[in-house]
Amino acid sequence: MSQDIAFSNIGRKEKLQKITADTYDLIVVGGGITGAGIALDASSRGLKVLLLEKNDFASGTSSKSTKLIHGGLRYLKQFDFWLVKEVGSERAIVHKLAPHLVIPEKMLLPLIEGGSYGKWLTSIGLKVYDILAQVTGDDKRQMLEKKEAMKLEPLLPKKILNGAGYYAEYRTDDARLTLENVKTSLQFGAQALNYTKVTDFVYKDEQVAGVTFKDEVFGEEYSVSSTYVINAAGPWVDELRSVNHSKKGKRLHLTKGVHLVFPKEKLPVQQSVYFDIPDGRMMFAIPRGKVTYIGTTDTNYNADKDHVTTDIADAIYLITAVNHMFPDIHLELDDIVSSWAGLRPLIHEEGKSASELSRKDEIFTSDTGLISIAGGKLTGYRKMAERTVNRIAKHMEENHDRKLEPCTTDKIPLCGSDFKKYKHVKKYIATVFDRLHDNGFTEYDAWYLVTTYGKQTETILELYAQLKVENLQERMIRAEAQFTIAHEMALNPLDFFIRRTGRLYFDIDSVRNFMKPIFDEFQKAYGYSSEEMDAFKTELESELESHSNFSLDRA
């Protein structure tokens, strides 16, 4: 398991020199879920792989999705049966690879008067969905009468409710899923670096033969050679195509998706609901631990890709939709405790609106051999990786007489998982709670540790036992920080609070309460100066403010 592999930014300079002295079969540019999936697929087939990410792993789209591994029911309305079939079947596979991280989540689809989905069409649609996605057993769709639907979710609008569809999806933490894919690729010899910005390509005989990148920590430039390069930079794919002078033909179309987070008591839905918005779109309300989050918007985006924010209009739009669907709920801007906004890197199609654009992925190969992949959905990441590496395998065989094995990532458990089924995860959560409750920890604490780290919780508990800190909650979070520094490449407190733990979104009070001890751990690990620590503090406080303050005077 990953805890046996040191994966750290400590000794970064030496690591960079060692890594760049080597030559690779494949360099993957982009450390989101697409790049991470490709790194695992390629390395598990025997390729020597280097993954480079300009910020932190999953810092772009892959920490800002709806955090669902879902089949895309709405694509049935667009008659995109191929996409529904592929991502529908993928749900069960990804759940099997990491049942602690990809968790079964029943979804309720209320059928309301004048809504997008009628009873007959929903019944047929969900049946088709089950067939295409090969859904079995208890996960098969059920059609519920009004009374049954109200029992499952008492907040639904009784006056206009006609019943509900009830079907299975899976909830995840997208950033953790990305990270565990990266860490699993290390077991097959891959190398991965965050904070390394690719600035140019190296060419040999007019073909891409490596990259030049800037180390964003120390500011030095490096060149590294590779037989092939894949551009999996998400919203930045076209920038790299421009650097390669190959941005022609199809191009990206970015759309923004916003999510808002509320305390559970402000939106106490019993379970996930996928519901109508008056403008004809659909949205989710998803309970998670101490909070419920809602989303999402789907609007065209042309501004700064590195600073995507939730604006007041997004927040009002989402709140209005929730208050419309749940008559007893009266959410206000002041109730928002956190939020996130991310970009979908879709393929542009003339004349189509943001929400009409296909979520299919596409692969482009330039005249100089740069392979770029764009589009796609979180749920389909493994198949996207397989298609991309198959393209490399074809080139390898034709140009280098080297035959690669077929993809086996559907059988490679991700780091942190040696669970066969979800019931074993639940059993392990209960075991961890048994071990911790005498120390004042709650069931939520045990659930959080296991659904974040899986069996890697054991390493965190060992670190916890060794620490000499009186406050036990502080001791536990320090143990988490030490684990992420030693085994997950966390370089600064923002990596920890946002992408390693999701605390900025789902437990924002813990960020405020434990800022000081976490800053201590990072300063101790990396020897940061007081000026550097002040800069991190300013950045984190700015993040806290921008994610949680939505008073009208901010507009």
Side-chain angles (χ1 to χ4, degrees), residues 123-134:
S123 179
I124 300 281
L126 287 174
K127 182 75 178 164
V128 171
Y129 188 65
D130 278 357
I131 293 164
L132 289 174
Q134 300 163 319

Side-chain angles (χ1 to χ4, degrees), residues 3-23:
Q3 52 263 52
D4 301 324
I5 295 179
F7 186 42
S8 177
N9 271 305
I10 295 169
R12 181 178 172 93
K13 270 194 175 169
E14 294 74 21
K15 182 175 284 193
L16 277 160
Q17 280 158 2
K18 197 176 168 195
I19 285 173
T20 51
D22 230 329
T23 300

Side-chain angles (χ1 to χ4, degrees), residues 285-304:
I286 300 168
R288 184 187 186 115
K290 300 174 178 179
V291 299
T292 301
Y293 67 94
I294 62 169
T296 175
T297 58
D298 202 357
T299 52
N300 294 325
Y301 189 82
N302 299 305
D304 183 355

Side-chain angles (χ1 to χ4, degrees), residues 24 32 38 109 116 121 148 158 206 240 276 285 300 334 344 349 393 445 451 454 524 533:
Y24 296 86
I38 291 168
L109 173 64
S116 312
L121 264 178
E148 296 171 293
K158 197 171 185 177
E206 295 182 2
L240 280 175
D276 280 270
N300 294 325
D334 286 348
R344 303 175 189 89
E349 294 173 72
D445 295 319
T451 57
K524 195 166 64 183
M533 295 309 295

Side-chain angles (χ1 to χ4, degrees), residues 161-443:
L161 187 70
N162 293 328
Y166 195 47
Y167 62 106
E169 297 288 24
Y170 295 91
R171 198 184 67 218
T172 193
D173 179 326
D174 46 5
R176 294 290 322 171
L177 186 65
T178 301
L179 192 66
E180 301 302 9
N181 268 276
V182 174
K183 285 158 58 184
T184 308
S185 76
L186 306 180
Q187 299 172 353
F188 297 94
Q191 297 281 3
L193 291 164
N194 49 1
Y195 297 101
T196 48
K197 182 179 181 177
V198 170
T199 52
D200 208 346
F201 297 95
V202 175
Y203 297 90
K204 187 180 174 186
D205 302 328
E206 295 182 2
Q207 292 293 296
V208 169
V211 301
T212 303
F213 69 85
K214 183 186 175 192
D215 170 29
E216 298 283 29
V217 179
F218 297 112
E220 287 157 6
E221 293 258 341
Y222 295 87
S223 279
V224 59
S225 300
S226 171
T227 312
Y228 295 102
V229 176
I230 288 177
N231 167 14
W236 294 270
V237 155
D238 278 355
E239 263 85 334
L240 280 175
R241 289 172 77 204
S242 293
V243 169
N244 179 243
H245 308 296
S246 60
K247 189 186 158 187
K248 42 185 177 258
K250 293 200 173 180
R251 60 186 168 86
L252 289 194
H253 183 133
L254 302 181
T255 76
K256 181 170 88 160
V258 166
H259 296 80
L260 305 178
V261 184
F262 299 90
K264 195 123 184 209
E265 54 274 18
K266 289 288 181 183
L267 183 53
V269 288
Q270 306 287 305
Q271 56 143 80
S272 294
V273 186
Y274 182 44
F275 61 93
D276 280 270
I277 302 182
D279 67 6
R281 291 188 67 254
M282 300 287 291
M283 76 184 254
F284 293 99
I286 300 168
R288 184 187 186 115
K290 300 174 178 179
V291 299
T292 301
Y293 67 94
I294 62 169
T296 175
T297 58
D298 202 357
T299 52
N300 294 325
Y301 189 82
N302 299 305
D304 183 355
K305 290 188 278 293
D306 290 298
H307 297 96
V308 188
T309 55
T310 303
D311 59 46
I312 217 101
D314 299 321
I316 290 169
Y317 172 82
L318 292 171
I319 283 177
T320 306
V322 170
N323 290 343
H324 180 265
M325 174 49 68
F326 303 110
D328 295 338
I329 295 296
H330 308 287
L331 293 177
E332 295 176 3
L333 289 169
D334 286 348
D335 296 326
I336 300 168
V337 289
S338 190
S339 68
W340 66 89
L343 299 176
R344 303 175 189 89
L346 306 175
I347 313 296
H348 182 73
E349 294 173 72
E350 283 306 328
K352 288 205 173 179
S353 72
S355 43
E356 286 171 332
L357 288 173
S358 169
R359 267 54 177 167
K360 269 199 185 108
D361 54 279
E362 292 203 33
I363 302 170
F364 317 115
T365 306
S366 77
D367 295 341
T368 54
L370 174 68
I371 297 168
S372 300
I373 179 158
K377 287 171 55 60
L378 173 67
T379 307
Y381 82 87
R382 204 191 60 79
K383 292 302 282 184
M384 287 165 67
E386 182 180 346
R387 279 192 285 278
T388 313
V389 180
N390 284 348
R391 183 79 60 104
I392 297 284
K394 193 165 174 266
H395 293 323
M396 277 278 183
E397 194 166 359
E398 287 169 359
N399 303 329
H400 302 278
D401 201 24
R402 182 172 165 192
K403 192 164 170 51
L404 296 190
E405 294 296 316
C407 171
T408 57
T409 54
D410 59 334
K411 297 178 188 68
I412 301 172
L414 296 181
C415 270
S417 176
D418 63 357
F419 306 105
K420 291 282 178 281
K421 290 186 175 163
Y422 183 58
K423 66 178 183 186
H424 301 137
V425 176
K426 291 200 279 193
K427 201 172 167 187
Y428 183 55
I429 292 171
T431 306
V432 170
F433 177 55
D434 273 352
R435 287 155 64 184
L436 288 176
H437 80 274
D438 285 349
N439 288 359
F441 290 96
T442 62
E443 282 181 75

Side-chain angles (χ1 to χ4, degrees), residues 435-483:
R435 287 155 64 184
L436 288 176
H437 80 274
D438 285 349
N439 288 359
F441 290 96
T442 62
E443 282 181 75
Y444 170 82
D445 295 319
W447 170 86
Y448 159 77
L449 282 169
V450 175
T451 57
T452 305
Y453 302 103
K455 280 291 177 77
Q456 298 165 120
T457 299
E458 292 302 317
T459 307
I460 291 166
L461 294 180
E462 282 167 26
L463 291 165
Y464 166 80
Q466 291 160 18
L467 276 162
K468 304 282 184 280
V469 176
E470 231 169 276
N471 179 317
L472 299 182
Q473 292 283 349
E474 181 188 321
R475 190 196 296 182
M476 185 65 81
I477 198 169
R478 279 182 182 270
E480 276 187 78
Q482 289 182 6
F483 174 78

